Amino acid sequence: MAGKCQGAAARIQANYPKALYFHCAAHILNLCVVGACKVQSVQNMMGFLKEISLFFSNSPKRQQELESQIMEVTDSETNKRKLVDLCRTRWIARIEAFEVFESLLSSVVNSLEVISEGARAGWNVESATMARGLFHSIMKFEFLITFVVVKKAPCYIKGLTHLLQKKTLDICTAYGEVDNVKLSLAQVRQTIDIVHKEWYQAAVTIGDKIHAPEPSISRCCGRQSNRSNVPGDSPEVYYRRLVTVPFIDELLNHLDNRFAISHIKAVCTMKSLMPASFMTSVGDLGSSMGELDVKTMGLDDFEFYLDDLPSADGLPQEMHNWVNKWRRFKGAFPHTPADCLSYADETMYPNINCVLRIFCTLPVTTAECERSVSVLRRLKTYLRSSMGQERLSSLALLHINQSMTIDFDAVINSFSRKHPRRMILKDILSTCIDT
């Protein structure tokens, strides 16, 4: 789709240069997390979590043992009885799996310890061997510190991933929040010593809770290819260089690279048309104010759309009237392009109205389109697997427009007029009521 030479976007732009390509912001954010989780320690931790989840979910007997251990833990503050599997596509959804795993960690450790005893506790050799390996993996401090870091750091973008899936979201608001998240993570990177110390203490607390061994430093050598080989004077410094710094750096690099799209940054300058934006920069304008230049209001990037404006020559004067309109406005300024568009009369402000309409139609996410695909499982079920395309499209329209009020009498009359010789239709509802 996004190939620069032969991709669909490149072929469309060859004929229509103004058809800009916008990658779904929600998918971009997901790819950023995917790239950051390619750190070796993070991959190992993710693999262990998945194996532990499958270890209990694939066997009712093991799951029953886990539930019995959960009931014995009196200080458990959750009503969860099962581990949540790691989502394969939406990586941000794994935060919920991390939270459930942390709340059930003591019960998981106790269950693995009981199962690892093998025949003495009534378990077969295969279950005991797998439980013994998973138990030793959890008890390693590298697993615990990596788990804490991967659980804490993505919390900065947890709200952003839900925001980027909203129906009513303009592109400036979306990328403005992305910049805020990037700024927060950059501040975390600048104060990584303080932040890592807090996360390190959290991992130590978890280790004490499950009676894990004390943190230690792996042996370093001259050349190492199968595991991390970073120097460190203390365990805290060692794991900061091993896990926290690489993970935060990778996350920041992917956010900078994937969201740094030139035409999106240019389009985001359209927010200078918003009253809440330009009134702070213009300030109190005198009554002797002359004509406004396009660059004065930060509209120099609108040159890309000048050919689409009804009368581009009058844009500076129109902006002058637009500013004075909001200087005299009493009340709260609109903060979204859709709300602002209702104030831009097409007769009085034709150019601004045109720009705002373009602004409102710029895509941010494809989450809504994917929701329509997810709805298909409610329409084309196993009982209706041989449904034709015409019927499927009709049912989809009925589902999408289910809030509309349908006049059944009008539908029956229309059907009877189209097919008068098929049958004589009667008003069944009124007949039932009369009887």
Side-chain angles (χ1 to χ4, degrees):
M1 290 297 296
K4 296 182 179 180
C5 299
Q6 295 297 327
R11 295 186 179 187
I12 293 175
Q13 282 188 313
N15 296 326
Y16 305 96
K18 293 188 178 181
L20 300 177
Y21 173 72
F22 290 85
H23 192 187
C24 174
H27 285 104
I28 293 177
L29 184 63
N30 190 64
L31 292 176
C32 292
V33 182
V34 172
C37 290
K38 290 183 179 180
V39 178
Q40 187 61 46
S41 300
V42 177
Q43 285 185 337
N44 295 338
M45 186 272 297
M46 292 286 192
F48 290 141
L49 279 182
K50 187 171 185 63
E51 289 180 7
I52 293 171
S53 176
L54 294 177
F55 177 77
F56 288 103
S57 62
N58 290 342
S59 173
K61 183 178 179 181
R62 301 170 192 164
Q63 178 61 36
Q64 185 178 4
E65 176 64 28
L66 175 61
E67 293 179 0
S68 63
Q69 292 293 337
I70 293 175
M71 298 298 295
E72 293 180 4
V73 178
T74 57
D75 58 346
S76 179
E77 299 178 356
T78 180
N79 56 356
K80 299 292 184 179
R81 295 293 179 266
K82 291 184 178 181
L83 295 176
V84 179
D85 190 14
L86 298 180
C87 182
R88 299 180 181 179
T89 54
R90 294 182 296 115
W91 284 60
I92 300 299
R94 298 189 173 194
I95 295 179
E96 180 185 357
F98 293 156
E99 294 174 351
V100 174
F101 180 80
E102 184 179 5
S103 63
L104 302 180
L105 181 56
S106 299
S107 302
V108 170
V109 171
N110 295 336
S111 300
L112 293 176
E113 191 173 8
V114 170
I115 298 174
S116 63
E117 295 179 359
R120 291 187 303 172
W123 298 93
N124 55 26
V125 178
E126 181 183 0
S127 297
T129 304
M130 294 176 61
R132 195 176 299 112
L134 295 176
F135 175 78
H136 289 295
S137 300
I138 292 179
M139 301 302 284
K140 292 181 180 179
F141 189 77
E142 181 178 347
F143 173 87
L144 298 178
I145 185 61
T146 307
F147 173 80
V148 172
V149 171
V150 178
K151 177 178 177 292
K152 296 286 186 182
C155 289
Y156 283 95
I157 58 179
K158 182 179 180 180
L160 181 62
T161 187
H162 294 297
L163 176 70
L164 295 180
Q165 298 179 37
K166 294 181 64 175
K167 297 180 180 180
T168 57
L169 180 66
D170 61 271
I171 192 167
C172 281
T173 301
Y175 281 83
E177 294 297 334
V178 171
D179 292 337
N180 293 335
V181 171
K182 290 165 58 177
L183 179 61
S184 299
L185 289 175
Q187 293 173 352
V188 170
R189 182 61 181 87
Q190 293 175 358
T191 60
I192 193 66
D193 296 344
I194 301 174
V195 175
H196 174 75
K197 185 176 182 179
E198 179 183 350
W199 294 350
Y200 180 84
Q201 293 299 326
V204 171
T205 303
I206 295 176
D208 295 339
K209 185 178 180 180
I210 62 175
H211 306 289
E214 294 292 330
S216 60
I217 301 175
S218 299
R219 182 178 60 86
C220 295
C221 58
R223 298 178 62 183
Q224 181 60 256
S225 58
N226 295 326
R227 62 174 176 83
S228 300
N229 192 34
V230 297
D233 300 332
S234 63
E236 182 179 345
V237 176
Y238 172 78
Y239 289 110
R240 184 183 68 206
R241 296 174 180 176
L242 177 66
V243 181
T244 309
V245 172
F247 184 73
I248 297 296
D249 286 344
E250 286 292 328
L251 187 57
L252 275 173
N253 290 335
H254 282 280
L255 287 173
D256 289 333
N257 295 333
R258 293 187 179 274
F259 283 99
I261 305 176
S262 58
H263 65 264
I264 289 180
K265 295 297 181 183
V267 164
C268 284
T269 57
M270 287 184 176
K271 66 180 180 181
S272 56
L273 282 177
M274 307 298 296
S277 176
F278 68 72
M279 288 303 293
T280 57
S281 59
V282 173
D284 189 11
L285 302 177
S287 58
S288 60
M289 178 180 176
E291 293 183 354
L292 287 177
D293 182 68
V294 175
K295 295 183 179 181
T296 304
M297 298 307 299
L299 302 179
D300 49 342
D301 292 304
F302 286 171
E303 296 178 0
F304 185 76
Y305 294 105
L306 287 181
D307 297 339
D308 300 320
L309 300 181
S311 56
D313 295 336
L315 181 59
Q317 294 79 10
E318 191 173 316
M319 277 298 306
H320 194 170
N321 294 332
W322 182 249
V323 172
N324 288 327
K325 171 186 176 66
W326 293 106
R327 289 181 63 230
R328 299 167 57 90
F329 183 78
K330 303 297 183 181
F333 293 143
H335 292 277
T336 62
D339 295 337
C340 194
L341 181 61
S342 60
Y343 294 94
D345 184 74
E346 191 173 1
T347 303
M348 181 66 183
Y349 307 102
N351 296 304
I352 295 178
N353 182 278
C354 179
V355 172
L356 286 175
R357 281 190 283 112
I358 295 175
F359 197 5
C360 292
T361 56
L362 294 177
V364 180
T365 177
T366 59
E368 187 65 20
C369 303
E370 295 182 358
R371 289 192 186 99
S372 63
V373 177
S374 301
V375 168
L376 287 176
R377 69 181 62 185
R378 295 199 291 266
L379 300 179
K380 192 170 184 178
T381 62
Y382 293 106
L383 299 178
R384 292 188 277 190
S385 58
S386 60
M387 186 188 308
Q389 184 64 37
E390 182 178 359
R391 181 174 177 83
L392 179 62
S393 301
S394 301
L395 287 176
L397 288 174
L398 289 174
H399 180 78
I400 294 171
N401 303 297
Q402 56 182 319
S403 60
M404 297 177 58
T405 303
I406 300 177
D407 188 355
F408 294 100
D409 293 335
V411 173
I412 293 174
N413 293 333
S414 177
F415 183 81
S416 62
R417 286 193 298 268
K418 290 182 179 180
H419 312 282
R421 291 181 296 175
R422 286 190 174 184
M423 63 182 67
I424 300 177
L425 297 176
K426 296 183 179 180
D427 193 348
I428 301 177
L429 297 178
S430 61
T431 304
C432 295
I433 294 175
D434 294 339
T435 56

